[in-house]
Amino acid sequence: MKFLRRSLIRLSNLVTSRTADQRLQDEIAEHLAFQTEENLRAGMSPAEARRQATLKLGAAQAIREGHHAEHSIPFIENLFFDLRYAVRMLLKSPGFSFIAIATMALGIGATTAIYSVIDATLLHPLPYPNPSELVRVQDDLPGVGAQNVGISVPEWRDLESAGIFQSVSVSGTGADVNLTGSAQPERLSYKHATPNYFTVLGVDAQLGRTFDPNDATPGFNLEAVISDGLWRREFGADPHIVGKALRLDNDVYHVVGVMPRGFRDLGSTSEERNTEVWLGAGMAGLPFPPPRRGLRLQSRAVARLKPGLSIAAAQEHLDALVESLKKQYPEEYPSQAAWTVRLTPLSESVVGSVRQSLILLFGAVGLVLLISCVNVANLLLARASVRGRELAVRQAMGAQRTRLIRQLLTESLLLFLLGGIAGCAILFFTRKFLLQLVPESLPHMSDISINWGVLVFALAVSVAAGTIFGLAPAWLMSGVDLIGTLRQEGRGSVGSHRRSRARQILVISELALSLVLMVAAGLLLRSFWDLFKVQPGFNPDRVMAIQTWLPGPNDPSQDIYRTATQESVLLREVLRRSRILPGVEEAAIGDVDALPLGHSNPSPLPLIREGIETMDNQAPVIDSPIVSPEYFHLLGMPLLKGRLFSNQDLEDTPQVAVINQAAARTYWPNQDPLGKRVRLHLDARELLNSAKPAWTTIVGVIADARTESLANVATPQIYRSIYQHPAKSLAIFLRGQLDPSTILEQERSQVQAVDPELPVFRAEALGDVLSSSLSVRRFSMEMVAFFAATALLLAGLGIYGTISYVVNEQRREIAVRLALGAQRGNILKMVLRRGLGLAAAGAGLGVVGALIVSHLMAGLLYGVSSTDLPTFAGVTLALATVALAASYIPALRAMRLDPITTLHSE
Amino acid sequence: MKEKPDVLQGTLALMVLKTLDVLGPQHGWGIARRIEQISGDLLAVNQGTLYPLLLRLEHEDSIASEWGASENNRRARFYRLTAAGRKQLQAETREWEQTAAIIARFFKLKAEDLT
């Protein structure tokens, strides 16, 4: 209470502070007068009486200070004083201040930029309430090497009633659907989901409602929820949209709600995140397969855990449930398949693939920040020699060391804070440009922006850096050797020795850090280059792919492209018309899975080999693109043995398939795969026309191609003919001298001449697809390379400053040597040796650090080992060259010293 | 700015309060002299250190001050004890007496032990 009162009074005194001092002056004068009278009475002479009175009172100034300290808050007062002084000092040496602030602006700005990306991707991956409760449920069959095989409806119901989850929703993996009835048939990304989908995510509609979670319609309930974007684009933000009909693939749905702006569907691909229509379905009626335990849906299961339940605890409960289900249904879950259900945090599925790249980037930018800080610390130390005298004078006047440190710390904090503010300001004004650098394919669902969290981060970084890197110089500067400094600018004094050692340590660490960065950049560059140069196994030159989509109504009997025979009429006509387009030399058709590197989620099918027959849900799964016979030639995939498809392989002739080498190696090791027979579990639509798929014979083997990802040498593939298996999502491949700007229009008019209801969209050059598949890699490589270049530049500046300083310190020594007849060349060598010594120490440390870092980033490398000698050697050489070049200028200066003037001037 | 040891600070405050309690309102010099007289040479503090202390006590609301005329018709600032100050003095006096008693017993005990 008392303390509070005193503090309050002091606070108010901060503002009104003159009168108290005046009062004290009066009182002291009074006091002296009394005491002098007393002394006079005791018989002293007037002058003596006065002197004794003053002596008895003590130092008036000290009393005033004590009185003042009692009266106000010295800490804040001093802070203001220090700040004023710091600003004055900054303005006094604008060059120094500018360099320091610019260096910090660079470091903090770059770090904040990367942090804002990380903030949007890794820290806030899911823009839903309580995101930590959301999990992905995956069924694996490790016994047969199958992962993520999908979930069947009875299993879903078991999970729902298990008491582990608030609710579990099952949804499709996202697909395309035709929106007809508008001027141009449009293709949309849609997703069918169980009606509790939005309840699980915890997001409600901005207009109308989402699905009723208790809706038990077995098939599609014909309700549609649309995205804000679609509502604005297609319906002009019509406020009466709810209840309107929506024609999708010739089925009529009714809009029940519009999702809020900024709501994104979850998923790891941009297609999936661009979902614009959600359709409610019970997953158990047509067109879905009958709800049997053995029939797994190709689907995603997302669940919300009961509040307060950790993922590990939920997994334990789930394992127990799985065990009891296995006992209950032994036929459905044979022990060799070893069915398990795995929970992973939903955020993982969004960012799992890029986490390593982003952490690497953050580490890289952190090193740049460190180097910037070290550089500024170096600058501060360099100033110590200039300000030694000032500090010595202040110490002689009785300033305490802590007081000096506090003032120097205030100065460095001000520098760092100004740097941070400048960095954020630059970032703010260049954000539009910078956002263009971030690749589209970087998964993030929250928008990358400079929000409060990011600003707080920048502020915290500035303050932390300022404190850490301001303390060391302040400590060293405040410990000056008084007498020596005052007598002669600290030449050869202990303080300066300690300072120059500190500077050397700083520079060595700077060099080491930049070497680490350069090695990381070098390794990434080599990986990228190798990937870039890799033979993909297919020839993307002059090939364009254009997509179309055949409507698939929910009632198969309404489907005019239901069978391969029906569909092949359309396809042959489309191919015929495509070939007569200007510039087209070859044309082929495949389904989306046949798009090299272009399809985001291949849906592998269980592969059942003759003689090793298992149930569908226990077979290994394999990618199975569906293509027209011309496909292999068009993409330049060579046939190794057997034959390719011909135009005579039709629906009523024996089913044939072509596999790649990887499939041959994996499934028929040391055998001839030709003539071997397999069965693929077919998609739901085909299940309706044939109860049991016929055996498919393997007739050919083609060379492996990197159609899944460039870094992935070979994924087993089994190709089937489009004339035997109807496909809905199609890609038309064209090779020739094509004009990318007009080809889409031309192809569209040809396709729609055959069927005006078909949308034709997204013309891509395969070369672009190829390079965009590398975009996240390219982004992280370019960024790390940029950071490494920055680091090298800063380190070069650092070493230049240090060597200059050393030369400056040794002026006299050099002059004496020259006066005694030393060769100028030797002087040059002597100085250069200093620089090289620093570089060698830095490189040694750096190589150790780089080995650790490169080992950690091994997962991001391709085709280059993490201890790649050429990279390490080249980078070390580059660093040594920069160090030498930076030392050369001060060395020249040392060489050209005029001994006479130097010795005289001191 | 040299800090005085806390004990001395504390005792000095106590002396100030006691002086004002016994003598009624006093100006700064009066208090300083009184303390000097009572403690003799044992407490050779600069008189000036008294002033920051007076200010503190005033902030703590233990004493109050106003300008007035001194005995030889000078304008001087007079300090007087407030009610709160009196309470504080009583409490601290009790504490001191307790402490002194404990220390005394402790020393006595020591002496007996040694014999």
Side-chain angles (χ1 to χ4, degrees), chain A residues 257-318:
Chain A
V258 180
M259 290 315 283
R261 166 172 282 189
F263 172 80
R264 287 204 179 126
D265 199 273
L266 46 100
S268 48
T269 66
S270 53
E271 283 94 342
E272 218 178 325
R273 283 198 309 272
N274 288 336
T275 300
E276 299 202 283
V277 180
W278 293 268
L279 305 174
M283 307 280 176
L286 283 179
F288 300 100
R292 291 208 310 265
R293 199 162 277 280
L295 282 175
R296 300 182 174 282
L297 302 160
Q298 280 300 326
S299 62
R300 293 243 161 104
V302 172
R304 188 174 277 278
L305 293 172
K306 286 247 189 275
L309 193 63
S310 74
I311 291 189
Q315 183 70 60
E316 271 176 37
H317 290 297
L318 193 58

Side-chain angles (χ1 to χ4, degrees), chain A residues 628-748:
Chain A
S628 72
E630 306 87 350
Y631 175 84
F632 302 105
H633 183 262
L634 187 140
L635 284 182
M637 296 175 168
L639 177 73
L640 298 178
K641 52 165 95 164
R643 68 173 180 91
L644 296 172
F645 305 129
S646 76
N647 283 332
Q648 280 67 51
D649 294 317
L650 299 174
E651 202 165 16
D652 43 14
T653 63
Q655 305 276 305
V656 291
V658 170
I659 58 171
N660 65 355
Q661 283 168 288
R665 262 198 314 275
T666 311
Y667 298 116
W668 293 276
N670 311 322
Q671 311 173 44
D672 181 7
L674 293 186
K676 291 277 186 298
R677 300 206 302 169
V678 298
R679 246 179 20 210
L680 288 161
H681 167 87
L682 303 169
D683 20 318
R685 292 184 193 283
E686 281 192 76
L687 201 81
L688 297 163
N689 37 16
S690 57
K692 219 174 183 185
W695 287 105
T696 301
T697 311
I698 291 166
V699 294
V701 181
I702 58 160
D704 283 337
R706 300 171 191 244
T707 50
E708 283 307 305
S709 98
L710 284 179
N712 203 336
V713 111
T715 320
Q717 303 264 21
I718 180 162
Y719 293 88
R720 291 173 298 160
S721 170
I722 201 155
Y723 298 139
Q724 296 186 324
H725 300 273
K728 292 292 174 195
S729 58
L730 300 176
I732 302 161
F733 297 90
L734 304 174
R735 176 191 287 282
Q737 294 295 355
L738 308 171
D739 178 359
S741 58
T742 58
I743 190 71
L744 182 61
E745 276 310 314
Q746 294 169 334
E747 185 64 38
R748 178 178 292 148

Side-chain angles (χ1 to χ4, degrees), chain A residues 208-366:
Chain A
R209 59 173 176 88
T210 54
F211 307 121
D212 171 12
N214 304 318
D215 185 336
T217 317
F220 280 97
N221 61 9
L222 298 185
E223 288 181 349
V225 171
I226 63 174
S227 72
D228 179 80
L230 179 69
W231 177 53
R232 288 176 195 282
R233 195 178 64 236
E234 283 295 319
F235 303 100
D238 174 9
H240 307 296
I241 181 77
V242 173
K244 284 255 164 77
L246 206 60
R247 252 182 104 75
L248 298 169
D249 276 5
N250 304 334
D251 292 309
V252 178
Y253 294 82
H254 288 278
V255 177
V256 296
V258 180
M259 290 315 283
R261 166 172 282 189
F263 172 80
R264 287 204 179 126
D265 199 273
L266 46 100
S268 48
T269 66
S270 53
E271 283 94 342
E272 218 178 325
R273 283 198 309 272
N274 288 336
T275 300
E276 299 202 283
V277 180
W278 293 268
L279 305 174
M283 307 280 176
L286 283 179
F288 300 100
R292 291 208 310 265
R293 199 162 277 280
L295 282 175
R296 300 182 174 282
L297 302 160
Q298 280 300 326
S299 62
R300 293 243 161 104
V302 172
R304 188 174 277 278
L305 293 172
K306 286 247 189 275
L309 193 63
S310 74
I311 291 189
Q315 183 70 60
E316 271 176 37
H317 290 297
L318 193 58
D319 291 344
L321 174 74
V322 166
E323 282 311 307
S324 70
L325 283 176
K326 280 190 195 170
K327 286 203 181 69
Q328 212 174 332
Y329 306 101
E331 296 91 74
E332 311 283 355
Y333 304 121
S335 54
Q336 75 263 26
W339 175 58
T340 56
V341 181
R342 189 161 42 104
L343 298 180
T344 46
L346 188 59
S347 53
E348 196 58 29
S349 64
V350 179
V351 297
S353 57
V354 292
R355 172 171 288 127
Q356 227 191 340
S357 293
L358 286 176
I359 288 176
L360 172 80
L361 271 189
F362 196 59
V365 84

Side-chain angles (χ1 to χ4, degrees), chain A residues 349-521:
Chain A
S349 64
V350 179
V351 297
S353 57
V354 292
R355 172 171 288 127
Q356 227 191 340
S357 293
L358 286 176
I359 288 176
L360 172 80
L361 271 189
F362 196 59
V365 84
L367 288 186
V368 171
L369 178 68
L370 259 182
I371 293 172
S372 320
C373 292
V374 167
N375 245 350
V376 173
N378 234 331
L379 282 172
L380 288 170
L381 272 180
R383 273 229 306 202
S385 54
V386 180
R387 291 181 59 183
R389 212 189 183 89
E390 171 210 338
L391 293 173
V393 168
R394 292 179 59 183
Q395 270 190 307
M397 300 285 289
Q400 284 176 308
R401 188 166 182 185
T402 46
R403 185 74 193 73
L404 278 185
I405 288 184
R406 211 163 75 190
Q407 187 228 311
L408 291 170
L409 199 55
T410 309
E411 277 181 42
S412 61
L413 265 178
L414 181 72
L415 264 185
F416 279 71
L417 269 178
L418 285 175
I421 291 166
C424 285
I426 293 168
L427 199 61
F428 187 76
F429 289 115
T430 55
R431 67 190 188 283
K432 288 222 163 47
F433 163 74
L434 290 175
L435 277 176
Q436 290 170 358
L437 300 179
V438 179
E440 272 294 306
S441 50
L442 186 78
H444 60 96
M445 295 174 66
S446 328
D447 287 318
I448 295 174
S449 64
I450 303 170
N451 52 32
W452 286 115
V454 172
L455 285 178
V456 165
F457 168 85
L459 187 75
V461 164
S462 315
V463 170
T467 311
I468 296 164
F469 288 90
L471 260 182
W475 177 255
L476 287 168
M477 281 161 83
S478 60
V480 273
D481 157 30
L482 265 183
I483 310 301
T485 314
L486 285 177
R487 207 174 325 120
Q488 43 171 315
E489 274 306 352
R491 176 155 46 86
S493 67
V494 181
S496 80
H497 265 300
R498 267 175 44 203
R499 277 206 297 273
S500 66
R501 187 160 339 121
R503 298 203 58 184
Q504 291 183 15
I505 289 170
L506 285 177
V507 161
I508 287 171
S509 62
E510 226 177 331
L511 290 167
L513 290 176
S514 54
L515 184 98
V516 170
L517 264 183
M518 284 160 66
V519 165

Side-chain angles (χ1 to χ4, degrees), chain A residues 2 5-6 9-10 13 20 23-24 26-28 30-35 37-38 41 53 55-59 62-63 65-72, chain B residues 1 27-30 32-33 36 45-56 58-62 65 67 70-72 74-77 79 88 92:
Chain A
K2 259 185 202 167
R5 197 186 129 85
R6 264 170 70 191
I9 294 177
R10 285 171 172 218
N13 286 341
R23 173 184 136 183
L24 179 73
D26 292 351
E27 271 191 277
I28 285 179
E30 209 52 51
H31 187 112
L32 284 172
F34 279 123
Q35 188 62 45
E37 275 174 34
E38 176 81 2
R41 274 199 295 275
L55 279 177
K56 202 160 189 168
L57 182 73
I63 298 166
E65 274 191 18
H67 194 265
H68 188 82
E70 187 53 56
H71 191 71
S72 63
Chain B
M1 205 193 83
H27 46 67
W29 184 71
R33 225 168 127 256
E36 215 174 84
V45 285
N46 282 334
Q47 293 173 333
T49 51
L50 194 60
Y51 286 96
L53 176 71
L54 285 171
L55 185 68
R56 199 189 88 202
E58 202 176 332
H59 282 169
E60 285 176 359
D61 209 17
S62 307
S65 71
W67 291 109
S70 70
E71 53 273 27
N72 46 15
R74 280 181 182 284
R75 186 170 152 277
R77 198 162 179 90
Y79 294 89
Q88 187 190 346
E92 293 207 19

